[in-house]
Amino acid sequence: MTTRAASPNPFLEDFAAHAAELPGVGQPWLDARRADAIKLVRAQGIPHRRIEDWKYTDLRSALEGTNDPGKAPSVARLRNAVEQGIEVFEFKGDAPKWVVDGFGVIGIDGTMSAASFALAQSTIALHVPANAKPAKPLEYEFSGQTRLLIVVEAGAAVTLLETPIGGDDSFSNAGIEIVLYEGAKLNHIRTASNAASAIVLEDLTVQVASAAQYRAHFMSTGTKLSRTELHVTLEGKGAEAHVSGVSVLGDGRHADVTTHIVHAAADTRSTQLFKDIAGGHSRGVYQGKITVAEGADGSDSRQTAKGLLLGVHAEIDLKPELEIYADDVKCAHGAAVGDLDVESLFYLGSRGIPEAEARALLMRAFLGDAVDEIENADIRASVWSKVEAALAKATEAKP
Amino acid sequence: MSAIRETADQVATLGEKYKYGFVTDIEMEVTPKGLNEDVVRLISGKKNEPEWMLEWRLGAFRRWKEMTEPSWARVHYPKIDYQNSSYYAAPKANPKLESLDEVDPKLLETYAKLGIPLHEQKLLAGVAVDAVFDSVSVATTFKKKLGEAGVIFCPISEAIREHPELVKKYLGSVVPVSDNFFATLNSAVFSDGSFVYVPKGVRCPMELSTYFRINASETGQFERTLIIAEEGAYVSYLEGCTAPMRDENQLHAAVVELVALDGAEIKYSTVQNWYPGNEEGVGGIFNFVTKRGDCRGRDSKISWTQVETGSAITWKYPSCILRGDNSVGEFYSIAIANNYQQADTGTKMIHLGRNTRSRIVSKGISAGHAQNTYRGLVSVHPKAENARNHTQCDSLLIGKSCGAHTVPYIESRNPSARIEHEATTSKIAEDQLFYCTSRGINQEEAVALIVNGFCKEVLQQLPMEFAVEAQKLVGISLEGSVG
Amino acid sequence: MLEIKDLHVSVGGKEILKGLNLSIGAGEVHAIMGPNGSGKSTLSYTLAGRVGYDVTGGSIIYKGEDLTALPTDARAAKGIFLAMQYPVEIPGVTTINFFKTALNSQRRARGESDLDAVSVLRLVRGKAAALKVPEEMLKRALNVGFSGGEKKRLEILQMALFEPSLAILDETDSGLDIDALKLVADGVNALRAPDRAMLVITHYQRLLNYIVPDRVHVLSAGRIIKDGGKELAHELEAKGYEQIIKDAA
């Protein structure tokens, strides 16, 4: 095993430096899980483009620049939790049962989720009691290596608004585990990082019990390299996941959204709607995999991914994947990449609308149905204003 | 009745589930098992090949030794021991044949069973056949008529000797020697295959057809096919494949290269019915094939149509490189996997030129415990102004223990390009089956009817007579899959 | 021709037909009328042998033979035809090819030889004209994109083609305008014959103005609760199901 010396793994160095100061260190259950996670990081190494799932997002080469994970300060801020009756545990003292049951149990499969679990210095766990319906969205901001566990008890409903706040050249790797019990509902909105040269990674794992619902919207303007990876398991009968997103990319931006939704129980439903606009030198990636397990009869799964390229230096890669092991299912996916519709442009022009304005109008229309998936009106409006700003940047970039 | 129609009818007479499972008892010359430079030299020597060809093979063999078998496809099989197979098998006593009368009558009998019209009296009926039996081309009919049109249609071993300038120019120009593990292996040890050259402006006067058959046990078959259509030329080529029933797995690693120059069109159809193994998944052919067409000229067109019902494992992605402006690539596929078959098949459409267009229609049917994957890439490069692609990918599941998977890769780097992909997954509806049976059609026939309807868009692309054969094949492949 | 005795049928574990008795002689046309949920469609599917319609008691004797164990296609070969309320679409299979496959399947089951494509086409053409089924329709995929009227005409065309001994018409009038209804009814009337029995299942009396039945039966909650001549249909139309059911109770 000479490879370790040849290519140092920054995450392992990071672990060595911070191991003793990690939150909750000394609790045997946690130490053991962290050790397992670090083993995984060691075994799998840094993801690169020869690994099928990272084909379009080469983290290894991006890390060769300035973004040193070891130096990234770990910050996690949470608002609107305690005052709305949500239990918050910050790994001081003995962990309650709901933390031990969930934390690091469901959401460790790849290097990056394992790394955030083992290395995060900012670690928070949230517990939404049964049937609670806090009115204000929980606000979560993060940078560096962070880890979050959210347990939503039966019948509760909560909104999570999440924002990466790392500055230029920063490195963030957020790991989030979400457990939704029977009939629970989580509205999850993730907005974009403003730092062009940042690397922002996020790995989300969601377990959805029967009749529970996970809704998510990922708004991205891209960074030097950003990737949101979502794993949803629809575990109970009638569980649902509805995921949407828009990526509006200006020059030098890269945004990758990778999803895997597993229909593990009967009568589960999922929808996905993703829209990408790529201008300048940029790359938009959507990889969406749907698995319908044997016996998950009555599953209904729909997936649409569409891309719009604004110039010859931009690239959009779509990989909508179906993996079906049950025959009584409804599964369909559609994907398309193209330009704005010439007919529509002409029509708007004939009504006196200048071309630039007509294009902007059609681009907003293109993105519209995905943004409209956001249920909370205030958040929807704030996402729209970010989309508008990103659109202006994406279109101004030299083609 | 045309000979080709007769072929189709003979194939259609279904006595047993796998009707091609017979072994022909003729004396074979088989090299010892194992693969090394001496074996490569021996194959080259058997073919009386010129020195440059031997060097080409040895170069490939050396590259191959450095390569590792790919593992990304959704197929699972025990590790293949490449030293435990024989790389050359030929019917003994194989002098150059002057007429069909000299062919071993047992061989002709085999072809009669396969339904290939090889006899002189049938020659007028309309199809030119190059039959590849294990490793050598046995006889090529219709040579004269084709010769008059200037079309060269012969075993590739013969082309290497008789038309070295063409072979040198085009062999490996579409599928490079080191393209992938199986293609490189093929480059080292290919024993025969077909060669077609259609000169400028010539519309090939007949459908060309090759029948491949694996007969000997513990041998691999590595045929190599090269088709060149010069400016404005047209050719339609069909291949059919069968193999006897055996408990062991046999390797088939073919390479097919197509080159279409300005305004040329090549239509390549395959009906693949290699032995799929038995109901428990024992035996069957491992079909690892590299097929690629290069639309090298402007306004050229390459169209792949495949009906894949056989093989224990299919690993195959007939592709088009759309290099010439306005060139067109098409891929029409039916892949049926029953029992324990595994298929990972699809296409790649690489748009390089302006106004290039491609169309993909894939129909996958899974039954029994089979796993059937469509894997396809549509890639648009920055210079491919106004490129267009449309992909329709439909899967049909029959039963609860099989899997149907769709893995499309869409990569676009030109804003004026338009790529559209649609995929659906469904099962045969109970009300469709009831409707058919209530009109007196039995269950199995009803399944065949519905599945054929599901596949219709692809079946329509086959030459008429082969469409009939293919339709029957669809029915047989799914026997026992319902109820 | 058909003798149904004390028929009990369950669908998905729920009993729908609860002791139904019905006797139809050769050459007769019977109508079964009943409100929604009374078991009309269950009866037609049971006669055709659809999987999932479990006969839990009683018997169906057709031409002296008990049908209950026979699969659907074997019943069709013996001359039982069901014109469906919602004919099924089968993409990619042309109508004419479907006709040929069905016709030859039935012939083979009866030990007769296959008809070739030309003979089938000739046969179909002769019968299609009367039902105003244009040749172009025969080349399209079976029922795919056809209007309600077109689908029903194709059902009757198949009835003419297969020449069944027992034809069951399940809500053949549903979704038809008055012209289409007449056309379909004329087609059915032309097929009335001394050796053929028909069972017309309908919710409304309207269809029975055009296909005049010899006997009318009222089905309610899985049983025949009243029998009568064709005038019973008019009585139903006048009084409504509710009243008739009350009277019968």
Side-chain angles (χ1 to χ4, degrees):
Chain A
M1 290 281 120
T2 52
T3 46
R4 221 190 313 164
S7 83
N9 183 331
F11 300 113
L12 296 177
E13 292 169 12
D14 191 17
F15 184 67
H18 300 289
E21 344 162 347
L22 293 173
V25 78
Q27 301 199 32
W29 66 273
L30 186 53
D31 290 350
R33 284 180 203 171
R34 281 198 175 120
D36 285 347
I38 212 71
K39 238 183 257 168
L40 197 76
V41 175
R42 186 169 286 137
Q44 296 189 344
I46 312 285
H48 53 89
R49 62 185 186 83
R50 303 300 293 253
I51 293 172
E52 175 71 15
D53 272 359
W54 292 77
K55 186 177 162 67
Y56 301 114
T57 297
D58 194 345
L59 179 60
R60 195 165 67 186
S61 69
L63 278 176
E64 278 159 15
T66 48
N67 312 75
D68 183 350
K71 292 192 187 120
S74 173
V75 179
R77 282 198 286 265
L78 184 67
R79 276 191 289 270
N80 300 340
V82 180
E83 58 268 44
Q84 294 195 99
I86 294 165
E87 193 183 340
V88 178
F89 179 72
E90 296 193 73
F91 293 84
K92 295 183 182 92
D94 284 345
K97 187 174 182 299
W98 60 269
V99 174
V100 180
D101 286 349
F103 192 62
V105 174
I106 59 168
I108 294 183
D109 44 9
T111 305
M112 299 322 297
S113 57
S116 73
F117 182 77
L119 308 176
Q121 293 151 50
S122 303
T123 299
I124 301 176
L126 298 177
H127 185 250
V128 184
N131 300 313
K133 296 200 168 59
K136 278 192 262 176
L138 289 169
E139 293 179 15
Y140 180 70
E141 297 176 338
F142 65 90
S143 73
Q145 304 261 15
T146 57
R147 193 80 187 181
L148 176 66
L149 168 70
I150 302 179
V151 177
V152 185
E153 292 288 350
V158 66
T159 298
L160 172 71
L161 177 62
E162 183 210 330
T163 315
I165 51 165
D168 276 340
D169 298 334
S170 67
F171 173 88
S172 292
N173 180 34
I176 301 183
E177 290 164 301
I178 297 170
V179 184
L180 301 179
Y181 285 103
E182 262 185 54
K185 181 174 176 182
L186 178 70
N187 266 312
H188 180 188
I189 297 96
R190 178 198 189 278
T191 62
S193 163
N194 291 320
S197 59
I199 291 178
V200 184
L201 306 173
E202 184 168 25
D203 190 286
L204 296 152
T205 306
V206 188
Q207 277 187 357
V208 190
S210 70
Q213 200 184 112
Y214 174 71
R215 292 184 73 92
H217 182 90
F218 305 136
M219 190 268 158
S220 180
T221 54
T223 59
K224 172 185 172 184
L225 184 145
S226 76
R227 168 156 161 137
T228 302
E229 195 172 323
L230 171 70
H231 305 266
V232 178
T233 309
L234 300 172
E235 292 194 318
K237 195 169 158 50
E240 295 186 21
H242 303 282
V243 189
S244 61
V246 294
S247 293
V248 182
L249 310 178
D251 198 38
R253 305 289 184 123
H254 178 113
D256 173 341
V257 174
T258 295
T259 68
H260 185 190
I261 296 182
V262 179
H263 290 255
D267 302 324
T268 45
R269 282 188 62 209
S270 72
T271 59
Q272 291 185 75
L273 178 61
F274 283 90
K275 300 286 179 81
D276 280 21
I277 293 183
H281 285 83
S282 70
R283 190 176 201 179
V285 178
Y286 168 74
Q287 310 186 92
K289 182 169 169 180
I290 294 164
T291 300
V292 179
E294 200 173 335
D297 291 331
S299 290
D300 185 340
S301 172
R302 270 165 295 153
Q303 181 187 36
T304 302
K306 287 186 176 172
L308 200 59
L309 284 168
L310 303 181
V312 289
H313 299 299
E315 173 167 354
I316 287 177
D317 304 308
L318 306 175
K319 188 185 165 198
E321 188 176 347
L322 293 173
E323 188 180 47
I324 314 286
Y325 297 97
D327 67 343
D328 187 14
V329 297
K330 270 187 250 167
C331 284
H333 68 211
V337 186
D339 201 355
L340 290 173
D341 181 34
V342 180
E343 295 276 318
S344 310
L345 275 174
F346 171 73
Y347 182 83
L348 294 177
S350 76
R351 302 301 136 105
I353 301 171
E355 196 189 331
E357 210 169 306
R359 294 187 75 91
L361 201 68
L362 290 176
M363 279 189 255
R364 264 180 246 129
F366 171 79
L367 300 170
D369 53 355
V371 178
D372 287 347
E373 289 283 306
I374 302 172
E375 287 183 345
N376 182 307
D378 295 339
I379 297 175
R380 191 167 61 235
S382 106
V383 166
W384 255 125
S385 69
K386 287 190 178 190
V387 167
E388 295 280 358
L391 263 181
K393 281 217 168 112
T395 46
E396 89 191 358
K398 272 176 269 144
Chain B
M1 177 186 272
S2 72
I4 191 165
R5 150 66 62 192
E6 197 169 309
T7 303
D9 285 354
Q10 281 174 349
V11 170
T13 336
L14 312 163
E16 61 211 273
K17 279 203 172 157
Y18 189 76
K19 130 177 230 298
Y20 309 105
F22 54 86
V23 178
T24 305
D25 183 23
I26 50 177
E27 254 194 295
M28 300 291 287
E29 180 182 7
V30 182
T31 59
K33 284 180 185 177
L35 184 54
N36 51 49
E37 291 203 2
D38 288 343
V39 170
V40 175
R41 283 175 207 282
L42 182 130
I43 294 169
S44 186
K46 286 277 174 200
K47 301 280 170 191
N48 298 318
E49 284 178 356
E51 188 63 22
W52 62 266
M53 196 62 233
L54 174 62
E55 284 309 315
W56 198 81
R57 286 175 179 276
L58 288 172
F61 179 68
R62 285 165 200 149
R63 294 295 289 269
W64 180 74
K65 282 195 295 184
E66 307 293 313
M67 297 170 90
T68 48
E69 207 172 318
S71 61
W72 42 261
R74 194 193 297 274
V75 292
H76 304 282
Y77 53 93
K79 198 150 176 50
I80 299 172
D81 181 357
Y82 291 90
Q83 297 302 335
N84 192 31
S85 186
S86 174
Y87 289 81
Y88 183 81
K92 243 185 197 163
N94 183 36
K96 195 162 162 51
L97 299 163
E98 294 303 329
S99 98
L100 283 173
D101 297 338
E102 296 174 27
V103 175
D104 187 329
K106 278 196 176 141
L107 253 187
L108 291 182
E109 220 173 274
T110 303
Y111 287 124
K113 274 196 226 175
L114 288 170
I116 298 174
L118 208 67
H119 278 297
E120 297 279 356
Q121 70 257 31
K122 289 181 182 167
L123 292 191
L124 294 171
V127 76
V129 172
D130 182 13
V132 178
F133 191 88
D134 283 333
S135 304
V136 292
S137 267
V138 179
T140 304
T141 55
F142 274 92
K143 264 194 171 162
K144 193 156 169 268
K145 193 170 172 196
L146 291 169
E148 280 162 13
V151 175
I152 303 169
F153 178 37
C154 65
I156 196 149
S157 51
E158 185 182 320
I160 290 167
R161 293 190 302 268
E162 311 285 330
H163 309 283
E165 70 298 337
L166 286 173
V167 176
K168 264 189 199 168
K169 185 171 175 188
Y170 291 107
L171 188 72
S173 76
V174 185
V175 178
V177 169
S178 55
D179 189 81
N180 69 70
F181 184 82
F182 298 111
T184 307
L185 175 62
N186 174 287
S187 300
V189 301
F190 75 85
S191 34
D192 223 324
S194 298
F195 176 81
V196 178
Y197 176 81
V198 189
K200 189 170 167 178
V202 171
R203 203 181 157 82
C204 187
M206 61 189 73
E207 305 262 3
L208 302 182
S209 171
T210 299
Y211 235 92
F212 295 108
R213 177 169 171 78
I214 295 177
N215 192 59
S217 69
E218 295 180 325
T219 55
Q221 179 152 344
F222 305 91
E223 80 271 355
R224 182 110 196 171
T225 295
L226 176 59
I227 300 178
I228 301 139
E230 287 276 9
E231 231 174 279
Y234 169 84
V235 60
S236 168
Y237 184 92
L238 308 154
E239 64 172 0
C241 318
T242 59
M245 290 153 81
R246 291 188 192 284
D247 287 344
E248 83 255 31
N249 296 112
Q250 285 178 282
L251 178 63
H252 173 254
V255 172
V256 175
E257 295 178 279
L258 312 181
V259 180
L261 300 174
D262 284 3
E265 181 177 346
I266 302 174
K267 196 170 159 55
Y268 194 106
S269 312
T270 304
V271 176
Q272 186 264 110
N273 188 26
W274 297 116
Y275 179 52
N278 69 9
E279 275 106 3
E280 275 82 48
V282 176
I285 301 292
F286 289 172
N287 191 32
F288 299 111
V289 171
T290 305
K291 291 183 169 179
R292 196 173 301 152
D294 189 351
C295 284
R296 211 163 276 184
R298 296 175 58 85
D299 306 305
S300 56
K301 179 175 176 182
I302 288 177
S303 181
W304 298 101
T305 303
Q306 62 173 23
V307 179
E308 302 280 321
T309 61
S311 295
I313 296 177
T314 298
W315 181 99
K316 181 181 170 191
Y317 315 91
S319 306
C320 296
I321 300 167
L322 302 169
R323 200 184 302 276
D325 289 350
N326 315 321
S327 59
V328 177
E330 293 177 335
F331 175 74
Y332 297 97
S333 170
I334 297 169
I336 299 180
N338 196 1
N339 297 319
Y340 285 88
Q341 282 177 273
Q342 304 174 59
D344 194 305
T345 184
T347 184
K348 292 180 190 176
M349 293 290 174
I350 314 289
H351 292 257
L352 301 175
R354 301 159 68 89
N355 304 315
T356 46
R357 278 173 294 148
S358 64
R359 179 171 158 77
I360 298 170
V361 180
S362 164
K363 304 281 180 179
I365 297 110
S366 315
H369 299 271
Q371 300 298 327
N372 198 339
T373 302
Y374 165 83
R375 188 182 301 277
L377 167 69
V378 177
S379 171
V380 174
H381 287 241
K383 287 182 180 148
E385 285 288 314
N386 292 313
R388 293 284 179 270
N389 161 268
H390 189 269
T391 301
Q392 178 69 44
C393 202
D394 299 318
S395 301
L396 191 68
L397 291 128
I398 303 174
K400 296 216 163 283
S401 307
C402 53
H405 318 299
T406 313
V407 193
Y409 299 77
I410 298 161
E411 302 174 359
S412 182
R413 290 156 70 191
N414 187 296
S416 62
R418 199 163 283 191
I419 306 172
E420 286 166 351
H421 172 99
E422 286 173 76
T424 63
T425 300
S426 55
K427 64 168 184 171
I428 294 184
E430 189 273 333
D431 62 349
Q432 288 180 328
L433 275 178
F434 172 64
Y435 191 84
C436 292
T437 52
S438 83
R439 303 298 142 102
I441 301 168
N442 73 45
Q443 181 107 329
E444 233 154 50
E445 217 173 320
V447 169
L449 189 75
I450 294 166
V451 173
N452 271 306
F454 172 77
C455 297
K456 190 174 188 188
E457 273 173 282
V458 176
L459 290 168
Q460 280 172 335
Q461 298 298 325
L462 287 168
M464 184 62 170
E465 292 83 350
F466 276 75
V468 174
E469 178 186 359
Q471 268 181 34
K472 299 252 156 84
L473 208 51
V474 166
I476 317 162
S477 309
L478 291 169
E479 265 174 26
S481 62
V482 169
Chain C
M1 178 77 68
L2 181 70
E3 201 72 46
I4 302 175
K5 285 209 176 106
D6 192 30
L7 183 65
H8 291 257
V9 174
S10 292
V11 182
K14 191 179 172 225
E15 187 166 72
I16 308 290
L17 298 185
K18 303 164 183 172
L20 183 141
N21 293 293
L22 184 66
S23 172
I24 304 176
E28 295 176 3
V29 173
H30 289 226
I32 288 202
M33 301 183 68
N36 291 331
S38 59
K40 299 194 298 290
S41 285
T42 299
L43 176 60
S44 65
Y45 286 145
T46 304
L47 290 174
R50 187 166 191 164
V51 176
Y53 291 76
D54 303 321
V55 175
T56 54
S59 62
I60 305 169
I61 308 295
Y62 165 76
K63 291 186 176 174
E65 184 189 3
D66 194 332
L67 283 182
T68 43
L70 276 187
T72 307
D73 53 319
R75 297 187 197 199
K78 287 184 184 293
I80 294 177
F81 177 82
L82 169 63
M84 292 191 200
Q85 184 179 2
Y86 304 109
V88 177
E89 300 186 355
I90 304 184
V93 176
T94 61
T95 303
I96 187 72
N97 181 29
F98 179 80
F99 286 2
K100 177 171 170 250
T101 308
L103 199 56
N104 282 332
S105 292
Q106 294 187 23
R107 291 175 65 90
R108 245 173 275 151
R110 293 192 294 256
E112 299 164 27
S113 62
D114 277 18
L115 294 179
D116 61 25
V118 178
S119 314
V120 172
L121 189 62
R122 200 176 295 137
L123 196 62
V124 173
R125 263 190 202 141
K127 306 193 185 254
L131 283 156
K132 295 197 177 154
V133 172
E135 191 137 345
E136 167 272 335
M137 225 165 107
L138 299 172
K139 292 177 188 157
R140 284 161 59 190
L142 183 69
N143 290 325
V144 176
F146 289 9
S147 71
E150 286 173 329
K151 285 180 182 172
K152 293 294 167 75
R153 262 144 58 200
L154 270 193
E155 293 291 282
I156 304 306
L157 176 55
Q158 288 175 65
M159 179 171 149
L161 203 56
F162 303 150
E163 301 181 319
S165 304
L166 172 66
I168 305 147
L169 306 172
D170 189 1
E171 306 268 359
T172 294
D173 50 335
S174 72
L176 294 187
D177 64 25
I178 201 77
D179 291 342
L181 184 65
K182 268 189 185 160
L183 194 66
V184 166
D186 288 349
V188 172
N189 286 327
L191 291 168
R192 290 179 90 140
D195 57 352
R196 179 171 296 138
M198 290 188 193
L199 183 59
V200 180
I201 294 174
T202 183
H203 186 93
Y204 299 105
Q205 177 263 337
R206 183 175 80 146
L207 177 67
L208 304 181
N209 288 338
Y210 300 94
I211 304 173
V212 180
D214 301 307
R215 300 288 298 163
V216 174
H217 314 274
V218 180
L219 183 64
S220 169
R223 279 194 201 91
I224 303 285
I225 54 155
K226 192 168 180 165
D227 305 276
K230 64 186 174 201
E231 67 290 340
L232 177 55
H234 295 282
E235 191 188 338
L236 260 173
E237 188 76 5
K239 289 186 176 171
Y241 282 112
E242 211 170 313
Q243 190 58 44
I244 294 277
I245 292 166
K246 233 181 248 169
D247 293 351

